[in-house]
Amino acid sequence: MLSNAMLLVAIIRSGKWQQRIAFVFLCALSFSQIAGAWQGDKSGEINVQIIVVESSTEAERAVQQLRNGADFAALAKQKSIDPSAATGGYMGRLDPATLRGELRDAIKKIGPGQFSGVVKTSEGYAILKVLSPSEAASGQSSRQSLSTAARGSVRFALNVGGLNDADAVFNALPKPAGWQQDLHAICEARKQSLSVATEQLGKRLAAADAELHPYDVLGEHHSLAQLEAYQGKMDKAIAQWLAAYQIANDAVPAAIPKFLEALGIAYLHKSEMENDAYRKPGDRCIFPPRASSKYQNTADSQKAIQYFEKYLEQKPDDLEVKWLLNMAYLTLGSYPAAVPQKYLIPVGAFESKEKVARFVDVAPQLGMNTFSMAGGIVVDDFEDNGLLDVVTSSVGVCEPMHYFHNNGDGTFTDQSAKSGLADQLGGLNLIQADYNNDGCLDILVLRGGWEFPQRMSLLQGHCDGTFTDVTRESGLAATTNATQAGAWADFDNDGLVDLFVGSESGPAQLFRNKGDGTFEDIARSAGVDRTAFTKAVVAGDYDNDGYADFYLSNYNGNNFLYHNNHDRTFTEVGGLAGVQDPWASFPAWFFDYDNDGWPDLFVSSYAGSSDEVMRSYLGLPTNAESLKLYKNLRNGTFKDVSKEVGLDRIFMPMGSNFGDIDNDGFLDIYLGSGASPYTAVVPSVLLRNREGKSFVDVTESAGTGELHKGHGVAFADMDRDGDEDILTVVGGATPGDSHAFRFFENPGSEDSNDWINVRLVGVKTNRAAIGARITVTVESEGQGTRSIYRTVSSGGSFGASPLEQHIGLGKCLRIANLEVWWPTSNTRQTFLNVGKNQFIEIKELAKDYTRLDRKSFRLGGTKREAEAGAGRKLGEKQLGQKQQ
């Protein structure tokens, strides 16, 4: 969702509304590059530094730190998203007259040695500083002061796609009071703002006179191109970029390389769209390719190649453009053979070091034909019939949610209208729970992440595939934030699941479930109302004291670990526990990766940089932070074992989750990769857990390396055949980057491992058993006994798997015992002689468990057995041991 730089280039002055709109030049030129590209009167030049951050709260925090004496250069290196961060935000010596609008006005208000307040732009929030003569003369610019500390500059993906421009015009449009609570009003505002801004920019360009500075005209062409690209109108976008490119050739030569790249990206994206690669991706969008696949219409791909190669003639070492060039040749069916050797990124860098069975996308055959932007997913039994249904959402504020009813024969029916979800517009993430303990699963919809505040939705389920919006009645509509991060957990063990919601636009919220269908926000009294740009909230009992703790990953800030004090208050212990990194984080979760009975912590770094991803694949030095895996040391602290287990890698994870693809009892990871710009075309990643000792990339072998934007991810045994499939919402943050849904069926193998599926039903503990723990001790031939641990949750922080727990057992002779610990009653049940390879249900406090009938079927409608499963309970009581 990030680009690496910005320049304000035009304010549309025709009409009252247009006077409010400031367009940002998102050509990925840093401020220092622009300043050097167009110098004015040398006599007025000053030395300037800048800090650019993503959120207003982060910017205000930075201003306060500066007021408290923080070093500007150090803070820029630490926080800024501009490429100048590598040199402490130093823009160079420039004439303020060359800056436009807000930036120029901010500079006018400060003197030498002073810094500005927060300057709002559509790209982010900026703070400027004018260096005093003594600072400049003594070498106190960031270039010197950070020379020993600088790690290097991350080359962020070139921002082609227009999300920030579209959000800028949306935010500028006057809207009625309470619009953030009205989903249809948000949709109408989006449509109106795009229409008006596009029309007015076109009129302004048509009327442009000779007195306008070439740079102003170039910027307006670029802004219009971005708005057209956002909507997927690539022909119109390309026409505007071509016009801007011509101006750059004549007047702004420093901008030429970026326009060459932008045109290459635009033509490649257009080629993919016109060859239906987004609606009918098949294997064409799986990387590495199993076999060459040439697009039918290749003219646009050929043009993309021309622009990329022209760019590389000037900058031959640019890995991002090299990678895009390789991808363009892929669409011609001639990768890697035809790629010029000096620009080739070898396919060998992506080959799996281990082989696994190849997954196959079966979504089209199943009737799951959604085509949407980025969004969330929940897979679970919403009809209480033993069959797993699928619910998806889209970040598109005009796009409805979808409900796919499981027909029980390997096919699904879109029942979005019947379910009541078709009226729910937008939503970047979804998480499920039974908040009112009625036995029917409910859904929380989180909205506004990366963009602007919107209301969330609490959808009460009725066990029949229908839902009622009870947000207002529940008290969750009182405050509106921008978020995609939340977690259900019964933090006070009263038998009711509570809700922690992270925010990108204000303090976090902790909603205590009052048991009457309503919630109260106790974040302040609980000590968790910190403000950060939070991208993940996850719950887990990291110290095994019987109470749920929370971990929050934050983008551009320390991560938080909130220890539960057992009295409805929390203490932040992230620093003491050693889990504050990465500085720029996104998905996170607790899971027991090594099966030692203590929850470990995975938290991903996030740099929207194809360059850094390619460096990681090629074994080159990197500048961004790696993924983090923290091993629980059982004493309240964690050890960073990322390098030890092979996770010191750089990807671009967004929607992600974990599951067990091979039933060996060790949890594997699937990372949906990407970023907002059309530039960010990198494969999603499947990492296999090797017995809790290391992780290995098996993406190429598994055939799950979708090149386009991976968002909500769920692991689930959809066909009830005993192995977990991978379902993922694919699509970007703009209408022009919409994509088909992916359903990767796990083919299993003849020499398959054993498993058991456990559904828990709480009585004193919350009905869905969130937070309950399962321990399965198995005896294996020649290997003695071992234990496998699971905690009931829906998995990762972006995508929700079923709350029933599918547990791989490896090659198991028998299950020696199966134990369940219930948090509210603090009781344990232990069952002996439990059969493997079956579905069971365990009710809290019961003496026996119940075997469930779950007949397998072939996805697509061909039954594997004579009778398709309808999830009926046999009522067959199995021999169990009385609870301890």
Side-chain angles (χ1 to χ4, degrees), residues 235-255:
D235 278 329
K236 292 183 177 181
I238 287 169
Q240 296 301 322
W241 270 311
L242 284 170
Y245 175 51
Q246 184 58 53
I247 296 171
N249 270 317
D250 296 338
V252 193

PDB file of all heavy atoms in Angstrom, residues 235-255:
ATOM      1  N   ASP A 235      -5.942   2.094 -21.266  1.00  0.00           N
ATOM      2  CA  ASP A 235      -5.698   2.860 -22.494  1.00  0.00           C
ATOM      3  C   ASP A 235      -5.627   4.347 -22.184  1.00  0.00           C
ATOM      4  O   ASP A 235      -4.732   5.060 -22.660  1.00  0.00           O
ATOM      5  CB  ASP A 235      -6.802   2.588 -23.524  1.00  0.00           C
ATOM      6  CG  ASP A 235      -6.569   1.309 -24.300  1.00  0.00           C
ATOM      7  OD1 ASP A 235      -5.392   0.955 -24.496  1.00  0.00           O
ATOM      8  OD2 ASP A 235      -7.552   0.666 -24.689  1.00  0.00           O
ATOM      9  N   LYS A 236      -6.595   4.835 -21.402  1.00  0.00           N
ATOM     10  CA  LYS A 236      -6.626   6.249 -21.058  1.00  0.00           C
ATOM     11  C   LYS A 236      -5.441   6.619 -20.169  1.00  0.00           C
ATOM     12  O   LYS A 236      -4.854   7.704 -20.312  1.00  0.00           O
ATOM     13  CB  LYS A 236      -7.937   6.594 -20.376  1.00  0.00           C
ATOM     14  CG  LYS A 236      -9.151   6.502 -21.286  1.00  0.00           C
ATOM     15  CD  LYS A 236     -10.416   6.927 -20.559  1.00  0.00           C
ATOM     16  CE  LYS A 236     -11.614   6.905 -21.503  1.00  0.00           C
ATOM     17  NZ  LYS A 236     -12.865   7.342 -20.818  1.00  0.00           N
ATOM     18  N   ALA A 237      -5.091   5.738 -19.254  1.00  0.00           N
ATOM     19  CA  ALA A 237      -3.948   5.998 -18.379  1.00  0.00           C
ATOM     20  C   ALA A 237      -2.661   6.095 -19.187  1.00  0.00           C
ATOM     21  O   ALA A 237      -1.841   7.005 -18.976  1.00  0.00           O
ATOM     22  CB  ALA A 237      -3.842   4.901 -17.323  1.00  0.00           C
ATOM     23  N   ILE A 238      -2.484   5.181 -20.122  1.00  0.00           N
ATOM     24  CA  ILE A 238      -1.267   5.174 -20.932  1.00  0.00           C
ATOM     25  C   ILE A 238      -1.158   6.450 -21.762  1.00  0.00           C
ATOM     26  O   ILE A 238      -0.066   7.029 -21.905  1.00  0.00           O
ATOM     27  CB  ILE A 238      -1.241   3.919 -21.824  1.00  0.00           C
ATOM     28  CG1 ILE A 238      -0.943   2.680 -20.958  1.00  0.00           C
ATOM     29  CG2 ILE A 238      -0.207   4.055 -22.944  1.00  0.00           C
ATOM     30  CD1 ILE A 238      -1.145   1.360 -21.679  1.00  0.00           C
ATOM     31  N   ALA A 239      -2.276   6.934 -22.290  1.00  0.00           N
ATOM     32  CA  ALA A 239      -2.255   8.171 -23.081  1.00  0.00           C
ATOM     33  C   ALA A 239      -1.738   9.330 -22.235  1.00  0.00           C
ATOM     34  O   ALA A 239      -0.952  10.165 -22.716  1.00  0.00           O
ATOM     35  CB  ALA A 239      -3.652   8.465 -23.617  1.00  0.00           C
ATOM     36  N   GLN A 240      -2.141   9.389 -20.974  1.00  0.00           N
ATOM     37  CA  GLN A 240      -1.688  10.469 -20.102  1.00  0.00           C
ATOM     38  C   GLN A 240      -0.221  10.305 -19.735  1.00  0.00           C
ATOM     39  O   GLN A 240       0.528  11.291 -19.674  1.00  0.00           O
ATOM     40  CB  GLN A 240      -2.553  10.516 -18.838  1.00  0.00           C
ATOM     41  CG  GLN A 240      -4.019  10.843 -19.094  1.00  0.00           C
ATOM     42  CD  GLN A 240      -4.215  12.181 -19.767  1.00  0.00           C
ATOM     43  OE1 GLN A 240      -3.513  13.151 -19.466  1.00  0.00           O
ATOM     44  NE2 GLN A 240      -5.152  12.238 -20.706  1.00  0.00           N
ATOM     45  N   TRP A 241       0.217   9.092 -19.484  1.00  0.00           N
ATOM     46  CA  TRP A 241       1.627   8.878 -19.160  1.00  0.00           C
ATOM     47  C   TRP A 241       2.527   9.168 -20.367  1.00  0.00           C
ATOM     48  O   TRP A 241       3.641   9.670 -20.209  1.00  0.00           O
ATOM     49  CB  TRP A 241       1.855   7.461 -18.635  1.00  0.00           C
ATOM     50  CG  TRP A 241       1.703   7.383 -17.146  1.00  0.00           C
ATOM     51  CD1 TRP A 241       2.268   8.203 -16.214  1.00  0.00           C
ATOM     52  CD2 TRP A 241       0.932   6.435 -16.409  1.00  0.00           C
ATOM     53  NE1 TRP A 241       1.893   7.834 -14.938  1.00  0.00           N
ATOM     54  CE2 TRP A 241       1.078   6.745 -15.026  1.00  0.00           C
ATOM     55  CE3 TRP A 241       0.134   5.354 -16.765  1.00  0.00           C
ATOM     56  CZ2 TRP A 241       0.455   6.015 -14.027  1.00  0.00           C
ATOM     57  CZ3 TRP A 241      -0.478   4.623 -15.762  1.00  0.00           C
ATOM     58  CH2 TRP A 241      -0.324   4.944 -14.403  1.00  0.00           C
ATOM     59  N   LEU A 242       2.040   8.854 -21.555  1.00  0.00           N
ATOM     60  CA  LEU A 242       2.810   9.184 -22.754  1.00  0.00           C
ATOM     61  C   LEU A 242       2.973  10.698 -22.892  1.00  0.00           C
ATOM     62  O   LEU A 242       4.052  11.190 -23.256  1.00  0.00           O
ATOM     63  CB  LEU A 242       2.134   8.597 -23.995  1.00  0.00           C
ATOM     64  CG  LEU A 242       2.299   7.093 -24.204  1.00  0.00           C
ATOM     65  CD1 LEU A 242       1.379   6.605 -25.327  1.00  0.00           C
ATOM     66  CD2 LEU A 242       3.757   6.741 -24.527  1.00  0.00           C
ATOM     67  N   ALA A 243       1.903  11.437 -22.595  1.00  0.00           N
ATOM     68  CA  ALA A 243       1.990  12.895 -22.660  1.00  0.00           C
ATOM     69  C   ALA A 243       2.974  13.423 -21.617  1.00  0.00           C
ATOM     70  O   ALA A 243       3.780  14.327 -21.908  1.00  0.00           O
ATOM     71  CB  ALA A 243       0.604  13.506 -22.445  1.00  0.00           C
ATOM     72  N   ALA A 244       2.928  12.870 -20.418  1.00  0.00           N
ATOM     73  CA  ALA A 244       3.858  13.288 -19.372  1.00  0.00           C
ATOM     74  C   ALA A 244       5.295  12.935 -19.748  1.00  0.00           C
ATOM     75  O   ALA A 244       6.231  13.712 -19.511  1.00  0.00           O
ATOM     76  CB  ALA A 244       3.472  12.627 -18.051  1.00  0.00           C
ATOM     77  N   TYR A 245       5.468  11.771 -20.326  1.00  0.00           N
ATOM     78  CA  TYR A 245       6.797  11.325 -20.750  1.00  0.00           C
ATOM     79  C   TYR A 245       7.395  12.277 -21.785  1.00  0.00           C
ATOM     80  O   TYR A 245       8.589  12.607 -21.744  1.00  0.00           O
ATOM     81  CB  TYR A 245       6.690   9.904 -21.301  1.00  0.00           C
ATOM     82  CG  TYR A 245       7.968   9.346 -21.897  1.00  0.00           C
ATOM     83  CD1 TYR A 245       9.164   9.391 -21.197  1.00  0.00           C
ATOM     84  CD2 TYR A 245       7.968   8.755 -23.159  1.00  0.00           C
ATOM     85  CE1 TYR A 245      10.325   8.866 -21.736  1.00  0.00           C
ATOM     86  CE2 TYR A 245       9.116   8.228 -23.711  1.00  0.00           C
ATOM     87  CZ  TYR A 245      10.298   8.287 -22.997  1.00  0.00           C
ATOM     88  OH  TYR A 245      11.439   7.774 -23.533  1.00  0.00           O
ATOM     89  N   GLN A 246       6.564  12.762 -22.692  1.00  0.00           N
ATOM     90  CA  GLN A 246       7.045  13.701 -23.702  1.00  0.00           C
ATOM     91  C   GLN A 246       7.505  15.010 -23.048  1.00  0.00           C
ATOM     92  O   GLN A 246       8.541  15.575 -23.412  1.00  0.00           O
ATOM     93  CB  GLN A 246       5.957  13.986 -24.737  1.00  0.00           C
ATOM     94  CG  GLN A 246       6.414  14.879 -25.877  1.00  0.00           C
ATOM     95  CD  GLN A 246       7.605  14.293 -26.628  1.00  0.00           C
ATOM     96  OE1 GLN A 246       7.553  13.147 -27.073  1.00  0.00           O
ATOM     97  NE2 GLN A 246       8.687  15.060 -26.737  1.00  0.00           N
ATOM     98  N   ILE A 247       6.730  15.477 -22.064  1.00  0.00           N
ATOM     99  CA  ILE A 247       7.126  16.686 -21.353  1.00  0.00           C
ATOM    100  C   ILE A 247       8.435  16.461 -20.601  1.00  0.00           C
ATOM    101  O   ILE A 247       9.318  17.330 -20.582  1.00  0.00           O
ATOM    102  CB  ILE A 247       6.013  17.122 -20.386  1.00  0.00           C
ATOM    103  CG1 ILE A 247       4.753  17.506 -21.171  1.00  0.00           C
ATOM    104  CG2 ILE A 247       6.466  18.287 -19.506  1.00  0.00           C
ATOM    105  CD1 ILE A 247       3.538  17.731 -20.297  1.00  0.00           C
ATOM    106  N   ALA A 248       8.565  15.286 -19.976  1.00  0.00           N
ATOM    107  CA  ALA A 248       9.801  14.974 -19.262  1.00  0.00           C
ATOM    108  C   ALA A 248      10.994  14.990 -20.217  1.00  0.00           C
ATOM    109  O   ALA A 248      12.072  15.486 -19.882  1.00  0.00           O
ATOM    110  CB  ALA A 248       9.682  13.620 -18.574  1.00  0.00           C
ATOM    111  N   ASN A 249      10.809  14.446 -21.418  1.00  0.00           N
ATOM    112  CA  ASN A 249      11.880  14.444 -22.417  1.00  0.00           C
ATOM    113  C   ASN A 249      12.315  15.870 -22.742  1.00  0.00           C
ATOM    114  O   ASN A 249      13.504  16.136 -22.961  1.00  0.00           O
ATOM    115  CB  ASN A 249      11.403  13.755 -23.696  1.00  0.00           C
ATOM    116  CG  ASN A 249      11.673  12.261 -23.677  1.00  0.00           C
ATOM    117  OD1 ASN A 249      12.740  11.829 -23.275  1.00  0.00           O
ATOM    118  ND2 ASN A 249      10.694  11.471 -24.080  1.00  0.00           N
ATOM    119  N   ASP A 250      11.346  16.788 -22.774  1.00  0.00           N
ATOM    120  CA  ASP A 250      11.638  18.158 -23.180  1.00  0.00           C
ATOM    121  C   ASP A 250      12.141  19.028 -22.038  1.00  0.00           C
ATOM    122  O   ASP A 250      12.958  19.930 -22.268  1.00  0.00           O
ATOM    123  CB  ASP A 250      10.379  18.806 -23.775  1.00  0.00           C
ATOM    124  CG  ASP A 250       9.923  18.119 -25.059  1.00  0.00           C
ATOM    125  OD1 ASP A 250      10.751  17.462 -25.707  1.00  0.00           O
ATOM    126  OD2 ASP A 250       8.721  18.231 -25.382  1.00  0.00           O
ATOM    127  N   ALA A 251      11.638  18.782 -20.803  1.00  0.00           N
ATOM    128  CA  ALA A 251      11.892  19.765 -19.753  1.00  0.00           C
ATOM    129  C   ALA A 251      12.361  19.203 -18.419  1.00  0.00           C
ATOM    130  O   ALA A 251      12.956  19.929 -17.632  1.00  0.00           O
ATOM    131  CB  ALA A 251      10.621  20.593 -19.526  1.00  0.00           C
ATOM    132  N   VAL A 252      12.061  17.939 -18.103  1.00  0.00           N
ATOM    133  CA  VAL A 252      12.408  17.389 -16.786  1.00  0.00           C
ATOM    134  C   VAL A 252      13.123  16.053 -16.975  1.00  0.00           C
ATOM    135  O   VAL A 252      12.571  14.990 -16.699  1.00  0.00           O
ATOM    136  CB  VAL A 252      11.142  17.208 -15.911  1.00  0.00           C
ATOM    137  CG1 VAL A 252      11.533  16.959 -14.458  1.00  0.00           C
ATOM    138  CG2 VAL A 252      10.234  18.416 -15.990  1.00  0.00           C
ATOM    139  N   PRO A 253      14.350  16.085 -17.460  1.00  0.00           N
ATOM    140  CA  PRO A 253      15.040  14.829 -17.793  1.00  0.00           C
ATOM    141  C   PRO A 253      15.209  13.883 -16.613  1.00  0.00           C
ATOM    142  O   PRO A 253      15.276  12.668 -16.806  1.00  0.00           O
ATOM    143  CB  PRO A 253      16.398  15.308 -18.322  1.00  0.00           C
ATOM    144  CG  PRO A 253      16.543  16.716 -17.832  1.00  0.00           C
ATOM    145  CD  PRO A 253      15.169  17.280 -17.759  1.00  0.00           C
ATOM    146  N   ALA A 254      15.270  14.417 -15.390  1.00  0.00           N
ATOM    147  CA  ALA A 254      15.438  13.531 -14.236  1.00  0.00           C
ATOM    148  C   ALA A 254      14.262  12.591 -14.055  1.00  0.00           C
ATOM    149  O   ALA A 254      14.377  11.537 -13.419  1.00  0.00           O
ATOM    150  CB  ALA A 254      15.635  14.350 -12.964  1.00  0.00           C
ATOM    151  N   ALA A 255      13.085  12.966 -14.592  1.00  0.00           N
ATOM    152  CA  ALA A 255      11.886  12.147 -14.423  1.00  0.00           C
ATOM    153  C   ALA A 255      11.753  11.068 -15.485  1.00  0.00           C
ATOM    154  O   ALA A 255      10.887  10.198 -15.374  1.00  0.00           O
ATOM    155  CB  ALA A 255      10.651  13.029 -14.442  1.00  0.00           C
TER     156      ALA A 255
END
